[in-house]
Amino acid sequence: MPRLPDDAIDRIKREVSVESVCVARGIELRRHGGDLIGSCPFHDDRTPSFVVTVGKNLWHCLGKCQAGGSVVDLVMRLDGVGFRKAAEILVAHLGGSDCDGGSDSASSAAVRRTPTIRAQP
């Protein structure tokens, strides 16, 4: 299987927000300064340890699991899939049919659709 082009990966990371994936997956977040915080979906949390840095579109658990990364990393962990499958799940919601980079013409409507992201078998 050919490698995913860097521009396709960059587009996914730029246009699909971590916040929208969290909302779609039922992860409750609330404002905490410039960030969003909530309970980590990967372990039991008594106090919120899951931090989403909206400005950088990154997430990190400050608690038990210490996991973090981009929107692709989040889908990989939530769905238990590899990098390519996670990228395919996300690119499908950008209006693309594959991960070959395609055109850079994803509309804002495609980005608004990202809350409908669900695990795909």
Side-chain angles (χ1 to χ4, degrees), residues 10-38:
D10 292 341
R11 179 176 173 222
I12 292 166
K13 290 179 179 180
R14 183 179 63 245
E15 295 186 19
V16 180
S17 74
V18 171
E19 179 182 8
S20 68
V21 171
C22 290
V23 169
R25 301 300 179 91
I27 302 168
E28 294 183 29
L29 300 172
R30 64 181 170 84
R31 284 267 166 225
H32 185 75
D35 296 330
L36 301 169
I37 61 169

PDB file of all heavy atoms in Angstrom, residues 10-38:
ATOM      1  N   ASP A  10      -1.415  16.604   6.345  1.00  0.00           N
ATOM      2  CA  ASP A  10      -1.471  17.982   6.847  1.00  0.00           C
ATOM      3  C   ASP A  10      -2.871  18.563   6.727  1.00  0.00           C
ATOM      4  O   ASP A  10      -3.346  19.262   7.618  1.00  0.00           O
ATOM      5  CB  ASP A  10      -0.473  18.873   6.103  1.00  0.00           C
ATOM      6  CG  ASP A  10       0.965  18.528   6.406  1.00  0.00           C
ATOM      7  OD1 ASP A  10       1.230  17.861   7.437  1.00  0.00           O
ATOM      8  OD2 ASP A  10       1.845  18.920   5.611  1.00  0.00           O
ATOM      9  N   ARG A  11      -3.541  18.271   5.623  1.00  0.00           N
ATOM     10  CA  ARG A  11      -4.906  18.766   5.417  1.00  0.00           C
ATOM     11  C   ARG A  11      -5.852  18.215   6.483  1.00  0.00           C
ATOM     12  O   ARG A  11      -6.668  18.947   7.035  1.00  0.00           O
ATOM     13  CB  ARG A  11      -5.385  18.375   4.028  1.00  0.00           C
ATOM     14  CG  ARG A  11      -6.790  18.827   3.738  1.00  0.00           C
ATOM     15  CD  ARG A  11      -7.180  18.493   2.319  1.00  0.00           C
ATOM     16  NE  ARG A  11      -8.585  18.799   2.142  1.00  0.00           N
ATOM     17  CZ  ARG A  11      -9.432  18.035   1.497  1.00  0.00           C
ATOM     18  NH1 ARG A  11      -9.016  16.923   0.925  1.00  0.00           N
ATOM     19  NH2 ARG A  11     -10.685  18.376   1.388  1.00  0.00           N
ATOM     20  N   ILE A  12      -5.755  16.934   6.760  1.00  0.00           N
ATOM     21  CA  ILE A  12      -6.597  16.315   7.792  1.00  0.00           C
ATOM     22  C   ILE A  12      -6.347  16.990   9.133  1.00  0.00           C
ATOM     23  O   ILE A  12      -7.294  17.386   9.829  1.00  0.00           O
ATOM     24  CB  ILE A  12      -6.313  14.802   7.893  1.00  0.00           C
ATOM     25  CG1 ILE A  12      -6.792  14.086   6.636  1.00  0.00           C
ATOM     26  CG2 ILE A  12      -6.972  14.211   9.135  1.00  0.00           C
ATOM     27  CD1 ILE A  12      -6.266  12.670   6.511  1.00  0.00           C
ATOM     28  N   LYS A  13      -5.097  17.127   9.507  1.00  0.00           N
ATOM     29  CA  LYS A  13      -4.747  17.713  10.802  1.00  0.00           C
ATOM     30  C   LYS A  13      -5.159  19.173  10.900  1.00  0.00           C
ATOM     31  O   LYS A  13      -5.469  19.674  11.976  1.00  0.00           O
ATOM     32  CB  LYS A  13      -3.245  17.572  11.055  1.00  0.00           C
ATOM     33  CG  LYS A  13      -2.823  16.142  11.320  1.00  0.00           C
ATOM     34  CD  LYS A  13      -1.329  16.045  11.540  1.00  0.00           C
ATOM     35  CE  LYS A  13      -0.897  14.629  11.831  1.00  0.00           C
ATOM     36  NZ  LYS A  13       0.557  14.539  12.040  1.00  0.00           N
ATOM     37  N   ARG A  14      -5.185  19.855   9.782  1.00  0.00           N
ATOM     38  CA  ARG A  14      -5.534  21.268   9.753  1.00  0.00           C
ATOM     39  C   ARG A  14      -7.052  21.479   9.762  1.00  0.00           C
ATOM     40  O   ARG A  14      -7.556  22.402  10.393  1.00  0.00           O
ATOM     41  CB  ARG A  14      -4.902  21.912   8.515  1.00  0.00           C
ATOM     42  CG  ARG A  14      -5.109  23.401   8.377  1.00  0.00           C
ATOM     43  CD  ARG A  14      -4.421  23.954   7.126  1.00  0.00           C
ATOM     44  NE  ARG A  14      -4.979  23.386   5.899  1.00  0.00           N
ATOM     45  CZ  ARG A  14      -4.306  22.600   5.054  1.00  0.00           C
ATOM     46  NH1 ARG A  14      -3.050  22.294   5.284  1.00  0.00           N
ATOM     47  NH2 ARG A  14      -4.878  22.138   3.958  1.00  0.00           N
ATOM     48  N   GLU A  15      -7.788  20.645   9.046  1.00  0.00           N
ATOM     49  CA  GLU A  15      -9.204  20.902   8.820  1.00  0.00           C
ATOM     50  C   GLU A  15     -10.179  20.126   9.696  1.00  0.00           C
ATOM     51  O   GLU A  15     -11.349  20.479   9.746  1.00  0.00           O
ATOM     52  CB  GLU A  15      -9.535  20.662   7.343  1.00  0.00           C
ATOM     53  CG  GLU A  15      -8.814  21.651   6.446  1.00  0.00           C
ATOM     54  CD  GLU A  15      -9.222  21.531   4.987  1.00  0.00           C
ATOM     55  OE1 GLU A  15     -10.283  20.954   4.706  1.00  0.00           O
ATOM     56  OE2 GLU A  15      -8.466  22.020   4.137  1.00  0.00           O
ATOM     57  N   VAL A  16      -9.738  19.084  10.362  1.00  0.00           N
ATOM     58  CA  VAL A  16     -10.626  18.346  11.260  1.00  0.00           C
ATOM     59  C   VAL A  16     -10.208  18.673  12.688  1.00  0.00           C
ATOM     60  O   VAL A  16      -9.091  18.370  13.096  1.00  0.00           O
ATOM     61  CB  VAL A  16     -10.550  16.824  11.023  1.00  0.00           C
ATOM     62  CG1 VAL A  16     -11.489  16.095  11.975  1.00  0.00           C
ATOM     63  CG2 VAL A  16     -10.881  16.481   9.582  1.00  0.00           C
ATOM     64  N   SER A  17     -11.113  19.285  13.431  1.00  0.00           N
ATOM     65  CA  SER A  17     -10.743  19.706  14.781  1.00  0.00           C
ATOM     66  C   SER A  17     -10.863  18.563  15.781  1.00  0.00           C
ATOM     67  O   SER A  17     -11.772  17.731  15.705  1.00  0.00           O
ATOM     68  CB  SER A  17     -11.606  20.887  15.237  1.00  0.00           C
ATOM     69  OG  SER A  17     -12.903  20.460  15.554  1.00  0.00           O
ATOM     70  N   VAL A  18      -9.921  18.525  16.705  1.00  0.00           N
ATOM     71  CA  VAL A  18      -9.964  17.562  17.805  1.00  0.00           C
ATOM     72  C   VAL A  18     -11.255  17.757  18.593  1.00  0.00           C
ATOM     73  O   VAL A  18     -11.916  16.796  18.981  1.00  0.00           O
ATOM     74  CB  VAL A  18      -8.720  17.709  18.714  1.00  0.00           C
ATOM     75  CG1 VAL A  18      -8.864  16.878  19.971  1.00  0.00           C
ATOM     76  CG2 VAL A  18      -7.449  17.328  17.961  1.00  0.00           C
ATOM     77  N   GLU A  19     -11.633  19.010  18.785  1.00  0.00           N
ATOM     78  CA  GLU A  19     -12.857  19.311  19.528  1.00  0.00           C
ATOM     79  C   GLU A  19     -14.075  18.666  18.876  1.00  0.00           C
ATOM     80  O   GLU A  19     -14.907  18.056  19.567  1.00  0.00           O
ATOM     81  CB  GLU A  19     -13.052  20.822  19.615  1.00  0.00           C
ATOM     82  CG  GLU A  19     -14.312  21.224  20.353  1.00  0.00           C
ATOM     83  CD  GLU A  19     -14.516  22.729  20.401  1.00  0.00           C
ATOM     84  OE1 GLU A  19     -13.767  23.485  19.747  1.00  0.00           O
ATOM     85  OE2 GLU A  19     -15.445  23.156  21.109  1.00  0.00           O
ATOM     86  N   SER A  20     -14.206  18.752  17.565  1.00  0.00           N
ATOM     87  CA  SER A  20     -15.380  18.184  16.894  1.00  0.00           C
ATOM     88  C   SER A  20     -15.408  16.662  16.993  1.00  0.00           C
ATOM     89  O   SER A  20     -16.474  16.061  17.135  1.00  0.00           O
ATOM     90  CB  SER A  20     -15.457  18.632  15.440  1.00  0.00           C
ATOM     91  OG  SER A  20     -14.412  18.082  14.679  1.00  0.00           O
ATOM     92  N   VAL A  21     -14.249  16.025  16.935  1.00  0.00           N
ATOM     93  CA  VAL A  21     -14.194  14.573  17.089  1.00  0.00           C
ATOM     94  C   VAL A  21     -14.602  14.190  18.512  1.00  0.00           C
ATOM     95  O   VAL A  21     -15.373  13.250  18.712  1.00  0.00           O
ATOM     96  CB  VAL A  21     -12.788  14.026  16.747  1.00  0.00           C
ATOM     97  CG1 VAL A  21     -12.663  12.555  17.114  1.00  0.00           C
ATOM     98  CG2 VAL A  21     -12.490  14.234  15.271  1.00  0.00           C
ATOM     99  N   CYS A  22     -14.123  14.945  19.503  1.00  0.00           N
ATOM    100  CA  CYS A  22     -14.500  14.674  20.889  1.00  0.00           C
ATOM    101  C   CYS A  22     -16.001  14.808  21.087  1.00  0.00           C
ATOM    102  O   CYS A  22     -16.641  13.942  21.693  1.00  0.00           O
ATOM    103  CB  CYS A  22     -13.765  15.617  21.843  1.00  0.00           C
ATOM    104  SG  CYS A  22     -12.008  15.287  21.986  1.00  0.00           S
ATOM    105  N   VAL A  23     -16.581  15.869  20.570  1.00  0.00           N
ATOM    106  CA  VAL A  23     -18.021  16.089  20.700  1.00  0.00           C
ATOM    107  C   VAL A  23     -18.784  14.947  20.027  1.00  0.00           C
ATOM    108  O   VAL A  23     -19.747  14.418  20.583  1.00  0.00           O
ATOM    109  CB  VAL A  23     -18.421  17.459  20.108  1.00  0.00           C
ATOM    110  CG1 VAL A  23     -19.921  17.592  19.979  1.00  0.00           C
ATOM    111  CG2 VAL A  23     -17.853  18.581  20.961  1.00  0.00           C
ATOM    112  N   ALA A  24     -18.348  14.547  18.831  1.00  0.00           N
ATOM    113  CA  ALA A  24     -19.013  13.470  18.101  1.00  0.00           C
ATOM    114  C   ALA A  24     -18.935  12.141  18.848  1.00  0.00           C
ATOM    115  O   ALA A  24     -19.833  11.312  18.743  1.00  0.00           O
ATOM    116  CB  ALA A  24     -18.401  13.315  16.717  1.00  0.00           C
ATOM    117  N   ARG A  25     -17.885  11.952  19.611  1.00  0.00           N
ATOM    118  CA  ARG A  25     -17.690  10.707  20.335  1.00  0.00           C
ATOM    119  C   ARG A  25     -18.228  10.755  21.762  1.00  0.00           C
ATOM    120  O   ARG A  25     -18.032   9.837  22.540  1.00  0.00           O
ATOM    121  CB  ARG A  25     -16.209  10.347  20.369  1.00  0.00           C
ATOM    122  CG  ARG A  25     -15.574  10.173  19.005  1.00  0.00           C
ATOM    123  CD  ARG A  25     -16.256   9.049  18.208  1.00  0.00           C
ATOM    124  NE  ARG A  25     -15.679   8.901  16.902  1.00  0.00           N
ATOM    125  CZ  ARG A  25     -14.663   8.094  16.616  1.00  0.00           C
ATOM    126  NH1 ARG A  25     -14.120   7.371  17.544  1.00  0.00           N
ATOM    127  NH2 ARG A  25     -14.212   8.020  15.384  1.00  0.00           N
ATOM    128  N   GLY A  26     -18.865  11.862  22.131  1.00  0.00           N
ATOM    129  CA  GLY A  26     -19.478  11.959  23.451  1.00  0.00           C
ATOM    130  C   GLY A  26     -18.523  12.333  24.575  1.00  0.00           C
ATOM    131  O   GLY A  26     -18.848  12.152  25.744  1.00  0.00           O
ATOM    132  N   ILE A  27     -17.377  12.860  24.241  1.00  0.00           N
ATOM    133  CA  ILE A  27     -16.426  13.314  25.252  1.00  0.00           C
ATOM    134  C   ILE A  27     -16.813  14.736  25.628  1.00  0.00           C
ATOM    135  O   ILE A  27     -16.729  15.640  24.801  1.00  0.00           O
ATOM    136  CB  ILE A  27     -14.972  13.257  24.739  1.00  0.00           C
ATOM    137  CG1 ILE A  27     -14.617  11.835  24.305  1.00  0.00           C
ATOM    138  CG2 ILE A  27     -14.011  13.779  25.797  1.00  0.00           C
ATOM    139  CD1 ILE A  27     -13.320  11.734  23.533  1.00  0.00           C
ATOM    140  N   GLU A  28     -17.272  14.925  26.842  1.00  0.00           N
ATOM    141  CA  GLU A  28     -17.718  16.243  27.286  1.00  0.00           C
ATOM    142  C   GLU A  28     -16.517  17.112  27.629  1.00  0.00           C
ATOM    143  O   GLU A  28     -15.645  16.704  28.395  1.00  0.00           O
ATOM    144  CB  GLU A  28     -18.634  16.105  28.491  1.00  0.00           C
ATOM    145  CG  GLU A  28     -19.940  15.404  28.151  1.00  0.00           C
ATOM    146  CD  GLU A  28     -20.876  15.327  29.330  1.00  0.00           C
ATOM    147  OE1 GLU A  28     -20.817  16.228  30.219  1.00  0.00           O
ATOM    148  OE2 GLU A  28     -21.659  14.378  29.379  1.00  0.00           O
ATOM    149  N   LEU A  29     -16.501  18.288  27.044  1.00  0.00           N
ATOM    150  CA  LEU A  29     -15.416  19.238  27.264  1.00  0.00           C
ATOM    151  C   LEU A  29     -15.997  20.546  27.774  1.00  0.00           C
ATOM    152  O   LEU A  29     -17.105  20.916  27.425  1.00  0.00           O
ATOM    153  CB  LEU A  29     -14.662  19.495  25.952  1.00  0.00           C
ATOM    154  CG  LEU A  29     -14.009  18.287  25.285  1.00  0.00           C
ATOM    155  CD1 LEU A  29     -13.485  18.668  23.912  1.00  0.00           C
ATOM    156  CD2 LEU A  29     -12.899  17.723  26.149  1.00  0.00           C
ATOM    157  N   ARG A  30     -15.195  21.241  28.585  1.00  0.00           N
ATOM    158  CA  ARG A  30     -15.598  22.578  29.025  1.00  0.00           C
ATOM    159  C   ARG A  30     -14.389  23.498  28.940  1.00  0.00           C
ATOM    160  O   ARG A  30     -13.241  23.055  28.966  1.00  0.00           O
ATOM    161  CB  ARG A  30     -16.184  22.549  30.432  1.00  0.00           C
ATOM    162  CG  ARG A  30     -15.234  22.122  31.516  1.00  0.00           C
ATOM    163  CD  ARG A  30     -15.928  22.105  32.887  1.00  0.00           C
ATOM    164  NE  ARG A  30     -15.101  21.485  33.880  1.00  0.00           N
ATOM    165  CZ  ARG A  30     -14.140  22.089  34.572  1.00  0.00           C
ATOM    166  NH1 ARG A  30     -13.893  23.370  34.355  1.00  0.00           N
ATOM    167  NH2 ARG A  30     -13.424  21.439  35.461  1.00  0.00           N
ATOM    168  N   ARG A  31     -14.671  24.789  28.830  1.00  0.00           N
ATOM    169  CA  ARG A  31     -13.604  25.791  28.719  1.00  0.00           C
ATOM    170  C   ARG A  31     -12.799  25.855  30.006  1.00  0.00           C
ATOM    171  O   ARG A  31     -13.342  25.789  31.103  1.00  0.00           O
ATOM    172  CB  ARG A  31     -14.188  27.177  28.466  1.00  0.00           C
ATOM    173  CG  ARG A  31     -14.642  27.377  27.076  1.00  0.00           C
ATOM    174  CD  ARG A  31     -13.525  28.010  26.247  1.00  0.00           C
ATOM    175  NE  ARG A  31     -13.909  27.872  24.855  1.00  0.00           N
ATOM    176  CZ  ARG A  31     -13.100  27.477  23.904  1.00  0.00           C
ATOM    177  NH1 ARG A  31     -11.863  27.218  24.153  1.00  0.00           N
ATOM    178  NH2 ARG A  31     -13.526  27.353  22.680  1.00  0.00           N
ATOM    179  N   HIS A  32     -11.510  25.988  29.833  1.00  0.00           N
ATOM    180  CA  HIS A  32     -10.593  26.193  30.948  1.00  0.00           C
ATOM    181  C   HIS A  32      -9.490  27.106  30.417  1.00  0.00           C
ATOM    182  O   HIS A  32      -8.510  26.632  29.838  1.00  0.00           O
ATOM    183  CB  HIS A  32     -10.033  24.856  31.434  1.00  0.00           C
ATOM    184  CG  HIS A  32      -9.180  24.974  32.662  1.00  0.00           C
ATOM    185  ND1 HIS A  32      -9.716  25.178  33.905  1.00  0.00           N
ATOM    186  CD2 HIS A  32      -7.840  24.922  32.821  1.00  0.00           C
ATOM    187  CE1 HIS A  32      -8.736  25.248  34.791  1.00  0.00           C
ATOM    188  NE2 HIS A  32      -7.583  25.097  34.153  1.00  0.00           N
ATOM    189  N   GLY A  33      -9.699  28.406  30.548  1.00  0.00           N
ATOM    190  CA  GLY A  33      -8.778  29.364  29.942  1.00  0.00           C
ATOM    191  C   GLY A  33      -8.894  29.270  28.429  1.00  0.00           C
ATOM    192  O   GLY A  33      -9.979  29.278  27.882  1.00  0.00           O
ATOM    193  N   GLY A  34      -7.772  29.120  27.759  1.00  0.00           N
ATOM    194  CA  GLY A  34      -7.768  29.000  26.306  1.00  0.00           C
ATOM    195  C   GLY A  34      -7.941  27.574  25.820  1.00  0.00           C
ATOM    196  O   GLY A  34      -8.034  27.329  24.627  1.00  0.00           O
ATOM    197  N   ASP A  35      -7.974  26.624  26.748  1.00  0.00           N
ATOM    198  CA  ASP A  35      -8.078  25.209  26.400  1.00  0.00           C
ATOM    199  C   ASP A  35      -9.456  24.665  26.747  1.00  0.00           C
ATOM    200  O   ASP A  35     -10.293  25.348  27.318  1.00  0.00           O
ATOM    201  CB  ASP A  35      -7.026  24.398  27.166  1.00  0.00           C
ATOM    202  CG  ASP A  35      -5.601  24.765  26.792  1.00  0.00           C
ATOM    203  OD1 ASP A  35      -5.378  25.177  25.640  1.00  0.00           O
ATOM    204  OD2 ASP A  35      -4.713  24.627  27.657  1.00  0.00           O
ATOM    205  N   LEU A  36      -9.657  23.412  26.410  1.00  0.00           N
ATOM    206  CA  LEU A  36     -10.845  22.668  26.802  1.00  0.00           C
ATOM    207  C   LEU A  36     -10.381  21.501  27.655  1.00  0.00           C
ATOM    208  O   LEU A  36      -9.324  20.914  27.380  1.00  0.00           O
ATOM    209  CB  LEU A  36     -11.582  22.141  25.569  1.00  0.00           C
ATOM    210  CG  LEU A  36     -12.059  23.179  24.566  1.00  0.00           C
ATOM    211  CD1 LEU A  36     -12.529  22.500  23.284  1.00  0.00           C
ATOM    212  CD2 LEU A  36     -13.185  23.997  25.159  1.00  0.00           C
ATOM    213  N   ILE A  37     -11.150  21.150  28.685  1.00  0.00           N
ATOM    214  CA  ILE A  37     -10.781  20.012  29.519  1.00  0.00           C
ATOM    215  C   ILE A  37     -11.982  19.094  29.695  1.00  0.00           C
ATOM    216  O   ILE A  37     -13.136  19.512  29.571  1.00  0.00           O
ATOM    217  CB  ILE A  37     -10.240  20.433  30.905  1.00  0.00           C
ATOM    218  CG1 ILE A  37     -11.290  21.212  31.698  1.00  0.00           C
ATOM    219  CG2 ILE A  37      -8.954  21.219  30.766  1.00  0.00           C
ATOM    220  CD1 ILE A  37     -10.899  21.418  33.159  1.00  0.00           C
ATOM    221  N   GLY A  38     -11.683  17.847  29.973  1.00  0.00           N
ATOM    222  CA  GLY A  38     -12.718  16.855  30.218  1.00  0.00           C
ATOM    223  C   GLY A  38     -12.090  15.600  30.781  1.00  0.00           C
ATOM    224  O   GLY A  38     -10.875  15.519  30.975  1.00  0.00           O
TER     225      GLY A  38
END
